[in-house]
């Protein structure tokens, strides 16, 4: 079942002469883990803003075509209604944190929905635990490091337990182990709670293995849309400038030199396995 | 040349971010500082342009202690691009933004025009000349911040997380540009979590943990050392992970680059036939 659908979606920001989205038609099914990628400035963030109504309600501009999210027509719903179904973690965490303590920031969305105090307490504790920031619950978000702020922003959205969670480069300030932990958390929420997840990411070496659906955009258009293995090895993806995982890239450069591995590897373990076959052949 | 001599730094809130760092970066070197969030990487590089002064110890930039010169003066030599571009962008157009520092340094009108055009072209921003930086995407804003510093051609360039929000092609351009800066004798220091970018550049790498330098050496030695990498909260490059899995196959363990990996494997296959 489709949870997000767009049909011929075209959008232009106010004052801009060029459309940021051009004729975008996609379908995202309930429970999918989607990685949305493409060169910087290609329209990834703008598309995400259509999913929670920030486009067009907050940004204005001109929107043509249809966007439906959890059965709601985005152009006809208020942002606050959409917010109960769709959570967005912004690219820059500073843009969404404002309270004087981490705990208050995480509780804010729930308070606005009028959820009972006990339940808020429970969900805040849970969200802080899931993102590993229980120890900084009393600290002021603006005093934290970029990486810690990103965890707080994710906790804020998690606490809302949305149907769809959109994360716009949520780990860009985090060290690789920290990023891996966040991706593991996101993947677990996707699997265990069935939250449909849309991850905007350039670092496919870290994020690629979690995806079961990849969308590649360029200049406001959807260029590639499908399952990851096919997309990572397509010549098109490389030409658009998608940073395919190095394990997959090794497969490609070996093939150019006439060495074929049996399977297209998506991660180092798979690459090592295929290479072992070739190396121990003789 | 940059010399940090046993520097300590404590923030006003009492957090000791640097606890005894000594490091020497020679003119024309390319160094990447890596490590866990909160390890003190950004704090360390902020000492190089004098934004922070050590609580104990001293930092010498080309022989002069940073305690003796103003940030304004130092910045002519040391260009610094912040982690978050929104912390340094404020002008109404991209062009204005890039020209701002040049005006402050009293460059001639003609030279300003030339440098701005050069920097915008270098970072593929020419089409946004008259656009407000705040209308641009996150990755594009990062490039405006880069352009605004590179425009005045400082001898030492410090880039805090330069690859954030950049796609593969932009990263490749950045890599080539850093190589070019190096050949011109400029010193480049980057702070980064992007192991795959470092694996492609193979610079000198300093790993930081809890306000100290844990290890310092060539990328292909440091990033393939499983113990060090784990202590610094880094994931080894994918190529290194592949070769580690195949360590029983008697392959070299200091490979981090795709093309080196390909060559080693092909050589091995040719030898066995």
């Amino acid at each position: 079942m489709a949870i997000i659908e767009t049909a011929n979606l075209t959008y232009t920001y106010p004052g801009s002469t060029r459309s940021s989205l051009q004729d975008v038609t996609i379908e995202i099914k309930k429970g999918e883990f989607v990685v949305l990628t493409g060169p910087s400035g290609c329209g990834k963030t703008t598309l995400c803003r259509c999913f929670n109504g920030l486009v067009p309600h907050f940004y204005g501009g001109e929107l043509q075509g249809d966007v439906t999210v959890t059965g709601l027509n985005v152009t006809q719903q208020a942002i606050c209604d959409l917010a109960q179904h769709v959570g967005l973690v912004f690219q820059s965490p500073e843009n969404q944190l404002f309270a004087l303590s981490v705990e208050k920031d995480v509780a804010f969305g729930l308070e606005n929905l009028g959820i009972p105090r006990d339940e808020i307490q429970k969900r805040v504790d849970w969200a802080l635990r899931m993102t590993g920031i229980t120890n900084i619950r009393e600290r002021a978000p603006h005093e934290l490091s970029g990486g810690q702020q990103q965890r707080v922003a994710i906790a804020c959205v998690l606490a809302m337990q949305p149907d769809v969670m959109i994360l716009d480069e949520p780990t860009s300030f985090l060290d690789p182990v920290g990023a891996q932990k966040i991706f593991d958390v996101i993947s677990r929420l996707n699997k265990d709670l069935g939250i449909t997840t849309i991850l905007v990411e350039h670092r496919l070496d870290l994020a690629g293995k979690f995806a079961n659906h990849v969308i590649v955009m360029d200049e406001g258009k959807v260029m590639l849309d499908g399952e990851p293995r096919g997309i990572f090895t397509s010549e098109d993806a490389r030409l658009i400038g998608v940073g395919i995982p190095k394990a997959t890239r090794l497969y490609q450069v070996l093939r150019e030199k006439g060495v074929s591995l049996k399977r297209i590897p998506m991660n180092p373990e798979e690459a090592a396995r295929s290479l072992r076959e070739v190396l121990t052949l003789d | 040349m940059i010399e940090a001599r046993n520097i300590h730094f404590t923030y006003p809130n009492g957090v000791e971010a640097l606890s005894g760092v000594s490091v020497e970066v020679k003119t024309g070197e390319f160094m990447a500082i890596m490590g866990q969030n909160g390890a003190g990487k950004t704090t360390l590089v902020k000492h190089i342009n004098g934004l922070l002064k050590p609580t104990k110890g001293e930092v010498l930039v080309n022989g002069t202690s940073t305690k003796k010169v103003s940030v304004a003066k130092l910045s002519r030599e040391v260009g610094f691009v912040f982690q978050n571009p929104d912390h340094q962008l404020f002008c109404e157009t991209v062009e204005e933004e890039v020209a701002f520092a040049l005006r402050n340094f009293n460059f001639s009108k003609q030279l300003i025009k030339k440098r701005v055009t050069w920097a915008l072209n270098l970072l593929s921003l020419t089409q946004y000349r008259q656009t407000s930086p705040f209308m641009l995407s996150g990755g594009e804003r990062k490039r405006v911040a880069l352009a605004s510093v590179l425009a005045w051609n400082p001898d030492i360039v410090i880039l805090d997380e330069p690859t954030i929000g950049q796609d593969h092609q932009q990263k490749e351009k950045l890599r080539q540009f850093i190589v070019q800066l190096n050949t011109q004798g400029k010193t480049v220091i980057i702070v980064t979590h992007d192991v795959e970018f470092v694996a492609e550049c193979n610079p000198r790498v300093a790993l930081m943990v809890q306000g100290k330098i844990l290890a310092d050496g060539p990328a292909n030695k440091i990033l393939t050392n499983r113990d060090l990498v784990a202590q610094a909260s880094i994931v080894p490059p994918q190529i290194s992970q592949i070769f580690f899995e195949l360590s029983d196959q008697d392959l070299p363990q200091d490979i981090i680059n795709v093309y080196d990996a390909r060559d080693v494997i092909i050589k091995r296959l040719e030898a066995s036939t």
Side-chain angles (χ1 to χ4, degrees), chain B residues 23 27 37 67 76 91 98 133 167 173 184 229 253 258 261:
Chain B
V23 67
T27 302
N37 284 120
K67 283 180 180 166
R76 181 70 186 83
C91 291
V98 178
D167 59 71
K173 270 193 185 171
Q184 291 168 7
V229 159
Q253 287 297 308
V258 175

Side-chain angles (χ1 to χ4, degrees), chain B residues 26-37:
Chain B
K26 295 203 177 63
T27 302
E29 250 191 314
F30 174 19
M31 178 156 128
I33 302 176
M34 306 185 77
Q36 199 169 15
N37 284 120

Side-chain angles (χ1 to χ4, degrees), chain A residues 150-164:
Chain A
Q150 284 185 319
R151 286 173 201 256
V152 178
I154 293 170
C156 291
V157 169
L158 257 190
M160 302 281 284
Q161 298 184 346
D163 302 319
V164 179

